DNA sequence: TCCGGTCTGTACGTTACCGCACATAAGCCG
DNA sequence: CGGCTTATGTGCGGTAACGTACAGACCGGA
């Protein structure tokens, strides 16, 4: 698995029993995920589900006054479109590409066929959804109790876990939209991290220099989400071995 | 359905196809839900699932320093123990009785048998879980963007929707724990509502006098959660007709 | 090379909430 | 009635984040 852009780089597709994967493979369509693209609109229909491989997608709630808040972030660990198999068909959230890259998509009907007929897909998707629930719950906790500094650390680490490199393309303005805070607040928090030598950034490009340092500063919320994800969906064994 | 304490008063049990309900009925065990009782501990095993009928249960995250925040609230509309059928077996949250009453419980194994064999139970529970996800997501948004005043309104209305009367037994101290704010903050917010003639409270007993008034003051978060719940799980028709 | 847009840094007054301390009030029970 | 416990009200300084305004820095295109 040296190619970072094969469907198997998505943890869910990779964890699927071989027979089920083979059935789906011909129907997986590789798609471009440009920064800022809206994959689903709030309340919109879900014709496809998306399995990111090198991209990251944010689930956002956009308020009536236009302000926003990130509910959860999905990358190669997951799937966009859980409302499809959960039965609701839509969600009151928007899904936006937060980090450009690629994903593989599948027609909703095909996924549903697999979901209804085969145990492997059903249990895998439900376990992932539970991990997603944990992430949302912890976002709520973090929004209530932790400082912007801590939330920025959490956000950086969650994004980092879903990317192949230690660099992400993201302006402070966009981070502020995700966290639901002022842009200046992000500037200040990011400044502290840069002075501490943990990150380097310039004009929308952030490089993480000292990941352990970030983990020291982050609040418990990150660790709770990480531990629960690992418990529910062990990372691919190939990646562990390497 | 004059008796408020039959299993059918729980919306999920009520929505189940008759044959599936009949199968489960002999195994439903009526249990007391006293105020403050911990139904599940964070990370604990789920031997039973609970269907509240006259009680309300809060899903709480308790932080390392002891502070807490409510993630979601479950009453006659739902079930406690989604981690069981989602596949994780546990969750990093505590479930605490927020309003005393009764519930019907079922052995986890029995529920799983039904869940794996019959479509009705599966789809019903997944749709409910999606509604729960919406509630959690909106809690995150509300914690970020709305004032204590608005959050109190949201909390009161969400609780009210899950109770038969317009009165709830709950000290300001406990509400503060749920919202993750100071007790004094609740005192102040509740004082405003009382002066406005919307509620009356004294020593742990809150009476809602003007529900439409509350709905005027509440933030959009409540309406989003309500609309999505109604969409995913239409309230029992008997109740609509009455 | 200069211009214009975008990204980042900084400053200032304002506000909401916090932490703490303590005052009042309401019910419980001897 | 009196004394205890618990619930609620209030005040005050501190702080984190907000809204606003504007200055510098960087980059790409004309």
């Amino acid at each position: 698995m040296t190619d970072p852009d094969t469907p198997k780089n998505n943890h869910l597709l990779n964890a699927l029993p071989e027979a089920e994967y083979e059935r789906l493979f011909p129907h997986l369509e590789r798609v471009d995920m440009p920064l800022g693209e809206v994959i689903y609109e709030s309340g919109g229909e879900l014709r496809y589900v998306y399995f990111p491989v090198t991209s990251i997608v944010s689930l956002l709630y956009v308020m009536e006054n236009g302000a926003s808040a990130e509910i959860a972030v999905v990358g190669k660990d997951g799937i966009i479109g859980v409302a499809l198999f959960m039965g609701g068909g839509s969600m009151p959230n928007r899904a936006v590409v937060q980090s450009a890259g690629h994903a593989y998509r599948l027609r909703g009907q095909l996924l549903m066929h697999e979901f209804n007929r085969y145990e492997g897909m059903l249990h895998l998707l439900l376990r992932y959804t539970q991990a997603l629930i944990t992430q949302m719950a912890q976002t709520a906790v973090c929004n209530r109790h932790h400082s912007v500094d801590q939330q920025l650390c959490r956000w950086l680490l969650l994004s980092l876990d879903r990317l192949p490199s230690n660099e992400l393309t993201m302006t402070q303005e966009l981070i502020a939209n995700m966290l639901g805070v002022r842009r200046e607040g992000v500037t200040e928090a990011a400044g502290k991290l840069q002075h501490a030598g943990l990150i380097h950034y310039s004009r929308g490009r952030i490089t993480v220099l000292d990941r352990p340092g970030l983990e020291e500063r982050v609040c418990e919320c990150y660790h709770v989400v990480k531990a629960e994800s690992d418990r529910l969906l062990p990372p691919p064994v190939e990646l562990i071995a390497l």
Side-chain angles (χ1 to χ4, degrees), chain A residues 125-172:
Chain A
L125 291 183
L126 292 190
R127 287 175 78 89
Y128 169 71
T129 303
Q130 192 185 330
L132 195 66
I133 286 174
T134 300
Q135 199 190 144
M136 292 179 174
Q138 221 57 34
T139 301
V141 172
C142 208
N143 283 351
R144 160 65 51 219
H145 289 289
H146 296 136
S147 66
V148 172
D149 291 32
Q150 291 174 301
Q151 291 183 51
L152 178 60
C153 287
R154 171 177 64 86
W155 190 88
L156 286 172
L157 287 170
L158 282 179
S159 297
L160 219 57
D161 287 344
R162 286 160 180 77
L163 282 177
S165 81
N166 63 336
E167 193 176 301
L168 50 162
T169 305
M170 176 75 23
T171 67
Q172 299 182 351

Side-chain angles (χ1 to χ4, degrees), chain A residues 94-141:
Chain A
R94 181 183 290 178
V96 183
V97 177
Q98 178 210 304
S99 183
H102 293 96
Y104 287 86
R105 73 176 185 186
L106 199 59
R107 286 205 160 276
Q109 291 175 325
L110 271 162
L111 183 84
M112 285 313 291
H113 179 261
E114 192 75 20
F115 182 86
N116 287 325
R117 276 189 61 134
Y118 302 97
E119 296 274 298
M121 183 61 97
L122 184 147
H123 289 121
L124 186 65
L125 291 183
L126 292 190
R127 287 175 78 89
Y128 169 71
T129 303
Q130 192 185 330
L132 195 66
I133 286 174
T134 300
Q135 199 190 144
M136 292 179 174
Q138 221 57 34
T139 301
V141 172

Side-chain angles (χ1 to χ4, degrees), chain A residues 28 40 46-51 79-82 84-85 104-108 111:
Chain A
L28 286 170
Y40 294 137
L46 277 64
R47 295 180 50 222
Y48 292 91
V49 294
Y50 293 77
F51 298 92
I79 181 175
I80 304 287
V82 300
L84 193 74
F85 56 81
Y104 287 86
R105 73 176 185 186
L106 199 59
R107 286 205 160 276
L111 183 84

Side-chain angles (χ1 to χ4, degrees), chain A residues 1 8-9 11 14 76 235-242:
Chain A
M1 178 120 41
K8 285 248 178 188
N9 197 48
H11 298 189
N14 184 65
K76 62 179 183 234
V237 283
E238 304 92 318
L239 299 181
I240 292 174
L242 291 180

